[in-house]
Amino acid sequence: GAVTIGVGVGNTGNGGDVTINSGSSTAGSSIGGSVVVKSAAGTNDSGDVTVKTANSGSGGSSGDLSFTTGTSGAGSTGAISLTTGAATGGAGGAIGLSVGAGNTGAGGEVTISAGVSSAAAGGAASLAGGSSSAGAGGAASVTAGSSTGGAGGAVSVTAGASTTAAGGAATVAAGVSANAAGGGVASLTGGSSTNGAGGAASVIAGLSTGGAGGAVAVNGGAGGGGVGGAVVVSGGTSSNAAGGAGTIAGGSSSA
């Protein structure tokens, strides 16, 4: 049979809370009790576990969902793990992280931030596609939102700034290959357009107010068993007007 825990309805104040706490311990080197919420197995599928807040009334917001680990007095704080189970006869389970749609303002944000540290390096934030032993590795995509009434959203990849040392590096590198198929291609492409100019693709070295400006280097790859890779700079083609120019120019100087 089912077990239901509920609080009675009130008509003069806020609804009552439901609190489930595990036991604490004062014994030396002990650990507090855990709280486990788990569905049961079946002969086919296991049961679902659903955690959600109720819909709001006509004049308010729905409730928040908070997943927070406790603070620590002398060691590391607890981790938060969101993991789907492994599959032996099908695909692994998906994890979806999405924000609800809005009809009167901007869409909600999704923010993933690594931890700050005052004594060591900050935490890393990684986005990686899954590996495979029988097919292609999974893709990792970062895509800005499209728009039918304005400009599409921007995608920015920016290394961190530093006030005492060099700024962090930003690297875009295609995967290496151990067979004759060749390494992957790294492309920088401006967006296409059906009614206006195509988007530009720019590679710009950093400015400096007290030293030399940063260099831009484009090198063909070295060949250990064949010819080295070529470097090609071409202006764009056009079916209705002159093709684009291909220009390589040194920098100007005011001194």
Side-chain angles (χ1 to χ4, degrees):
V3 176
T4 302
I5 300 174
V7 178
V9 178
N11 60 5
T12 59
N14 295 328
D17 297 330
V18 175
T19 303
I20 301 174
N21 290 324
S22 63
S24 60
S25 174
T26 58
S29 301
S30 62
I31 299 175
S34 300
V35 175
V36 179
V37 179
K38 162 173 133 167
S39 65
T43 56
N44 288 321
D45 298 337
S46 61
D48 297 329
V49 175
T50 302
V51 179
K52 72 175 183 177
T53 63
N55 297 332
S56 72
S58 59
S61 302
S62 61
D64 297 330
L65 277 179
S66 298
F67 298 93
T68 308
T69 63
T71 60
S72 171
S76 299
T77 59
I80 295 178
S81 297
L82 184 62
T83 308
T84 62
T88 57
I95 295 177
L97 181 64
S98 61
V99 178
N103 60 5
T104 59
E109 297 179 351
V110 175
T111 303
I112 301 175
S113 300
V116 176
S117 174
S118 59
S126 299
L127 175 65
S131 59
S132 173
S133 60
S141 300
V142 179
T143 307
S146 60
S147 174
T148 57
V155 174
S156 299
V157 179
T158 306
S162 174
T163 57
T164 58
T171 304
V172 179
V176 299
S177 174
N179 60 32
V185 177
S187 300
L188 178 65
T189 307
S192 60
S193 173
T194 57
N195 296 317
S202 300
V203 179
I204 302 174
L207 304 175
S208 174
T209 58
V216 175
V218 180
N219 297 319
V227 298
V231 174
V232 179
V233 179
S234 301
T237 61
S238 173
S239 58
N240 296 318
T247 303
I248 300 177
S252 60
S253 173
S254 59

